[in-house]
Amino acid sequence: MQCASKPCSHASVLHRLGPHGPALRRLSRQYTRHCHLVATRNAVKGEIKGKTTSGDEDSAFEQQLKSRRNKQKKTTVQDLQPNTLPTSSKPEAIPPNDQLEAVAVLVLVSLFIAIIGQGLFLAVSGFLPESWDQFAQDVVYKTFSPTLGIFLATSAGYGVWKSKQGSGK
């Protein structure tokens, strides 16, 4: 396998080895590394002796890449800005349907936060002072189930409303 005298031909080497799965891929990688090392060694020797080698091909390739980069248009801030600005300074009116949806989502988020807060307070109430534990038993525990029921009913109603709204389109 003389890599330095002629270009590497992996196809002929791999054809002679036959299909042996992982061993074939490992040998192919080793052969590729070997060819690369031989080419690098020869390039270094050629540069020392003043010869032109495959290093010239690499530099030509690098110059070609640089010329491609220079040809590409550079993006400026003006390119990113829209061409037209809105003429009216007052905000657009939000449709009533969107306002209703925003209120429904706000109610659901508020109820979710209340449920999480109540649940955490009930969970740690045994480790708190006696007066806080008594408050958790008398007030928070009694309101936890109704809050959860309101959340479930609201989320179900919101889901039905959105599904009917989606089927009407």
XYZ file of all heavy atoms in Angstrom, residues 57-112:
439
model
N -2.591 22.647 -3.057
C -4.009 22.398 -3.301
C -4.843 22.866 -2.108
O -5.905 23.445 -2.274
C -4.252 20.912 -3.565
C -3.628 20.411 -4.842
C -3.733 18.902 -4.972
O -4.362 18.275 -4.091
O -3.184 18.367 -5.939
N -4.324 22.631 -0.893
C -5.042 23.059 0.301
C -5.138 24.573 0.351
O -6.186 25.129 0.672
C -4.351 22.543 1.569
C -4.485 21.039 1.727
O -5.402 20.467 1.103
O -3.684 20.453 2.468
N -4.051 25.258 0.058
C -4.088 26.719 0.116
C -5.009 27.275 -0.972
O -5.681 28.281 -0.752
C -2.687 27.308 -0.013
O -2.142 26.993 -1.272
N -5.046 26.633 -2.139
C -5.961 27.077 -3.193
C -7.415 26.891 -2.745
O -8.260 27.754 -2.994
C -5.705 26.293 -4.476
N -7.674 25.793 -2.054
C -9.015 25.534 -1.545
C -9.400 26.577 -0.497
O -10.514 27.083 -0.478
C -9.086 24.119 -0.958
C -10.415 23.766 -0.380
C -11.515 23.569 -1.206
C -10.593 23.637 0.988
C -12.750 23.246 -0.689
C -11.825 23.317 1.513
C -12.898 23.121 0.677
N -8.463 26.913 0.404
C -8.725 27.925 1.415
C -8.992 29.281 0.779
O -9.874 30.019 1.212
C -7.557 28.008 2.394
C -7.455 26.802 3.310
C -6.203 26.815 4.169
O -5.432 27.799 4.087
O -6.005 25.863 4.917
N -8.247 29.624 -0.256
C -8.467 30.892 -0.939
C -9.841 30.913 -1.603
O -10.518 31.946 -1.621
C -7.373 31.142 -1.977
C -6.032 31.471 -1.345
C -4.930 31.596 -2.386
O -5.149 31.323 -3.557
N -3.743 31.995 -1.938
N -10.255 29.792 -2.155
C -11.570 29.705 -2.777
C -12.668 29.920 -1.733
O -13.651 30.623 -1.976
C -11.743 28.350 -3.456
C -13.026 28.214 -4.235
C -13.154 26.834 -4.872
O -12.417 25.916 -4.545
N -14.110 26.704 -5.771
N -12.498 29.334 -0.537
C -13.475 29.528 0.531
C -13.532 30.992 0.964
O -14.604 31.541 1.203
C -13.140 28.652 1.731
C -13.449 27.166 1.600
C -12.983 26.434 2.844
C -14.924 26.942 1.394
N -12.373 31.638 1.072
C -12.339 33.047 1.467
C -13.033 33.914 0.430
O -13.740 34.863 0.767
C -10.900 33.506 1.660
C -10.278 32.989 2.925
C -8.849 33.483 3.073
C -8.198 32.888 4.303
N -6.810 33.297 4.438
N -12.837 33.604 -0.840
C -13.484 34.411 -1.869
C -15.002 34.230 -1.823
O -15.753 35.165 -2.073
C -12.946 34.055 -3.260
O -13.349 32.747 -3.619
N -15.471 33.051 -1.475
C -16.916 32.823 -1.340
C -17.473 33.646 -0.192
O -18.555 34.200 -0.268
C -17.224 31.348 -1.105
C -17.120 30.507 -2.328
C -17.543 29.091 -2.031
N -17.300 28.231 -3.155
C -17.393 26.919 -3.112
N -17.724 26.325 -1.984
N -17.145 26.185 -4.180
N -16.728 33.701 0.925
C -17.187 34.473 2.073
C -17.266 35.952 1.730
O -18.157 36.649 2.174
C -16.241 34.275 3.255
C -16.417 32.956 3.933
C -15.579 32.872 5.182
N -15.211 31.502 5.410
C -13.999 31.071 5.686
N -13.000 31.911 5.774
N -13.759 29.794 5.865
N -16.295 36.438 0.968
C -16.283 37.849 0.614
C -17.432 38.197 -0.320
O -17.925 39.315 -0.317
C -14.951 38.233 -0.036
C -13.810 38.165 0.963
O -14.032 38.242 2.168
N -12.594 38.015 0.476
N -17.860 37.244 -1.154
C -18.935 37.492 -2.112
C -20.295 37.556 -1.440
O -21.209 38.171 -1.958
C -18.963 36.406 -3.194
C -17.799 36.504 -4.153
C -17.866 35.396 -5.179
C -16.649 35.410 -6.081
N -16.661 34.275 -7.012
N -20.442 36.898 -0.294
C -21.729 36.886 0.389
C -22.042 38.276 0.916
O -21.169 38.990 1.409
C -21.720 35.905 1.556
C -21.670 34.470 1.121
C -21.586 33.527 2.309
O -21.367 33.950 3.428
N -21.743 32.244 2.044
N -23.316 38.668 0.817
C -23.739 39.973 1.274
C -23.793 39.974 2.794
O -24.353 39.073 3.403
C -25.120 40.302 0.710
C -25.624 41.644 1.137
C -27.042 41.875 0.663
C -27.527 43.194 1.226
N -28.952 43.319 1.123
N -23.219 40.995 3.393
C -23.252 41.111 4.843
C -24.555 41.784 5.250
O -24.973 42.761 4.664
C -22.061 41.903 5.337
C -20.766 41.197 5.016
C -19.624 41.791 5.727
C -18.380 40.997 5.322
N -17.337 41.062 6.225
N -25.205 41.255 6.283
C -26.473 41.772 6.753
C -26.226 42.999 7.624
O -25.388 42.976 8.510
C -27.207 40.705 7.571
O -27.307 39.525 6.795
C -28.586 41.166 7.963
N -26.966 44.044 7.360
C -26.852 45.258 8.159
C -28.106 45.435 8.988
O -29.104 44.736 8.808
C -26.661 46.494 7.249
O -27.827 46.617 6.431
C -25.426 46.351 6.372
N -28.072 46.408 9.882
C -29.214 46.679 10.742
C -30.398 47.160 9.908
O -31.550 46.822 10.171
C -28.835 47.725 11.813
C -30.036 48.103 12.650
C -27.734 47.184 12.692
N -30.127 47.923 8.851
C -31.202 48.429 8.018
C -31.911 47.298 7.281
O -33.099 47.390 7.003
C -30.662 49.442 7.016
C -30.204 50.719 7.694
C -29.585 51.695 6.717
O -29.334 51.343 5.577
N -29.345 52.916 7.174
N -31.199 46.218 6.957
C -31.825 45.082 6.285
C -32.818 44.374 7.203
O -33.782 43.783 6.743
C -30.771 44.070 5.828
C -29.896 44.629 4.720
O -30.331 45.589 4.056
O -28.783 44.107 4.540
N -32.565 44.418 8.500
C -33.417 43.712 9.449
C -34.661 44.505 9.821
O -35.614 43.959 10.351
C -32.624 43.386 10.711
C -31.425 42.453 10.507
C -30.676 42.282 11.814
C -31.859 41.110 9.969
N -34.676 45.802 9.577
C -35.817 46.630 9.923
C -36.876 46.548 8.825
O -36.553 46.415 7.648
C -35.390 48.079 10.115
C -34.483 48.260 11.316
C -34.010 49.699 11.448
O -34.169 50.476 10.527
N -33.445 50.012 12.586
N -38.145 46.656 9.206
C -39.206 46.612 8.185
C -39.152 47.864 7.316
O -38.701 48.928 7.734
C -40.487 46.542 8.991
C -40.135 47.086 10.331
C -38.677 46.749 10.545
N -39.646 47.734 6.093
C -39.621 48.851 5.155
C -40.646 49.920 5.490
O -40.441 51.095 5.233
C -39.857 48.341 3.724
C -38.706 47.487 3.257
O -37.597 47.632 3.746
N -38.977 46.594 2.322
N -41.771 49.525 6.038
C -42.811 50.497 6.345
C -43.080 50.508 7.836
O -43.058 49.467 8.492
C -44.121 50.159 5.612
O -44.531 48.858 6.015
C -43.924 50.202 4.108
N -43.343 51.674 8.357
C -43.690 51.820 9.760
C -45.187 52.069 9.863
O -45.789 52.688 8.985
C -42.922 52.995 10.370
C -41.410 52.839 10.397
C -40.773 54.125 10.894
C -41.007 51.690 11.283
N -45.826 51.620 10.940
C -47.256 51.864 11.079
C -47.528 53.368 11.209
O -46.802 54.083 11.874
C -47.650 51.109 12.340
C -46.395 50.745 13.016
C -45.294 50.825 12.007
N -48.590 53.808 10.572
C -48.896 55.232 10.572
C -49.697 55.654 11.793
O -49.573 56.774 12.249
C -49.698 55.601 9.302
O -50.860 54.776 9.245
C -48.855 55.394 8.065
N -50.513 54.781 12.337
C -51.318 55.159 13.501
C -50.520 54.913 14.774
O -49.852 53.905 14.925
C -52.623 54.373 13.533
O -52.355 53.007 13.693
N -50.605 55.850 15.698
C -49.860 55.711 16.936
C -50.678 55.040 18.030
O -50.151 54.622 19.034
C -49.381 57.084 17.414
O -50.505 57.914 17.639
N -52.007 54.952 17.853
C -52.841 54.317 18.871
C -52.861 52.797 18.647
O -52.821 52.315 17.519
C -54.251 54.883 18.865
C -54.997 54.712 17.559
C -56.355 55.349 17.651
C -57.056 55.228 16.302
N -58.374 55.815 16.358
N -52.903 52.016 19.735
C -52.909 50.556 19.597
C -54.209 50.070 18.965
O -55.257 50.698 19.091
C -52.777 50.052 21.031
C -53.236 51.184 21.882
C -52.934 52.449 21.122
N -54.097 48.947 18.287
C -55.271 48.368 17.642
C -56.214 47.792 18.696
O -55.785 47.311 19.738
C -54.838 47.266 16.679
C -53.995 47.758 15.534
C -53.553 46.635 14.622
O -54.145 45.545 14.688
O -52.616 46.858 13.855
N -57.490 47.842 18.422
C -58.479 47.321 19.354
C -58.458 45.799 19.316
O -58.386 45.178 18.261
C -59.867 47.833 18.986
N -58.500 45.201 20.496
C -58.503 43.742 20.601
C -59.940 43.264 20.452
O -60.846 43.785 21.114
C -57.919 43.305 21.955
C -56.481 43.798 22.087
C -57.980 41.801 22.107
C -55.878 43.550 23.451
N -60.171 42.274 19.610
C -61.536 41.755 19.444
C -62.078 41.197 20.754
O -61.325 40.710 21.594
C -61.379 40.647 18.401
C -60.071 40.879 17.748
C -59.233 41.642 18.714
N -63.396 41.260 20.960
C -63.992 40.782 22.215
C -63.715 39.302 22.482
O -63.575 38.893 23.633
C -65.489 41.014 22.033
C -65.659 41.874 20.840
C -64.387 41.843 20.076
N -63.647 38.499 21.424
C -63.351 37.076 21.612
C -61.978 36.877 22.227
O -61.799 36.031 23.107
C -63.431 36.340 20.268
C -64.598 35.386 20.217
O -65.372 35.290 21.157
N -64.723 34.688 19.105
N -61.005 37.646 21.760
C -59.650 37.522 22.298
C -59.584 38.019 23.735
O -58.841 37.473 24.554
C -58.658 38.295 21.427
C -58.428 37.622 20.072
O -58.825 36.452 19.927
O -57.847 38.276 19.183
N -60.355 39.062 24.058
C -60.391 39.549 25.436
C -60.991 38.498 26.362
O -60.484 38.266 27.460
C -61.204 40.841 25.518
C -60.498 42.036 24.925
C -61.346 43.298 25.007
O -62.539 43.221 25.297
N -60.729 44.431 24.752
N -62.044 37.850 25.912
C -62.681 36.803 26.709
C -61.720 35.627 26.920
O -61.644 35.071 28.019
C -63.978 36.337 26.026
C -64.826 35.325 26.786
C -65.286 35.924 28.118
C -66.007 34.897 25.962
N -61.003 35.275 25.883
C -60.031 34.185 26.000
C -58.909 34.554 26.964
O -58.477 33.730 27.771
C -59.458 33.848 24.625
C -58.513 32.674 24.652
C -58.031 32.291 23.269
O -58.532 32.836 22.270
O -57.130 31.433 23.203
N -58.439 35.789 26.902
C -57.378 36.236 27.804
C -57.843 36.191 29.256
O -57.088 35.774 30.146
C -56.933 37.648 27.427
N -59.093 36.587 29.508
C -59.641 36.535 30.861
C -59.747 35.087 31.325
O -59.418 34.762 32.478
C -61.014 37.253 30.915
C -61.729 36.983 32.232
C -60.829 38.734 30.696
N -60.220 34.194 30.469
C -60.363 32.787 30.841
C -59.015 32.173 31.184
O -58.882 31.449 32.181
C -61.035 32.012 29.707
N -57.993 32.474 30.388
C -56.655 31.933 30.668
C -56.107 32.514 31.969
O -55.488 31.806 32.772
C -55.712 32.201 29.467
C -54.283 31.871 29.818
C -56.161 31.399 28.262
N -56.345 33.800 32.213
C -55.889 34.422 33.457
C -56.561 33.779 34.669
O -55.909 33.523 35.691
C -56.173 35.925 33.419
C -55.722 36.718 34.640
C -54.200 36.672 34.758
C -56.198 38.147 34.549
N -57.853 33.484 34.568
C -58.570 32.817 35.665
C -57.993 31.424 35.907
O -57.759 31.028 37.055
C -60.088 32.748 35.356
C -60.810 31.798 36.303
C -60.692 34.136 35.428
N -57.735 30.690 34.825
C -57.164 29.340 34.978
C -55.784 29.382 35.610
O -55.468 28.567 36.492
C -57.112 28.636 33.625
C -58.448 28.131 33.086
C -58.288 27.618 31.659
C -58.997 27.045 33.980
N -54.957 30.312 35.196
C -53.608 30.417 35.771
C -53.695 30.805 37.245
O -52.967 30.254 38.082
C -52.758 31.432 34.964
C -51.482 31.778 35.683
C -52.448 30.877 33.582
N -54.583 31.734 37.579
C -54.748 32.151 38.977
C -55.225 30.985 39.842
O -54.715 30.778 40.956
C -55.750 33.300 39.069
O -55.306 34.392 38.312
N -56.198 30.238 39.350
C -56.673 29.077 40.097
C -55.577 28.026 40.260
O -55.444 27.399 41.321
C -57.900 28.468 39.422
C -59.208 29.244 39.577
C -60.289 28.661 38.676
C -59.658 29.208 41.033
N -54.782 27.816 39.227
C -53.680 26.845 39.304
C -52.679 27.260 40.379
O -52.244 26.437 41.196
C -53.001 26.724 37.936
C -51.829 25.790 37.924
C -52.016 24.430 37.944
C -50.533 26.288 37.911
C -50.940 23.555 37.940
C -49.453 25.430 37.904
C -49.653 24.064 37.930
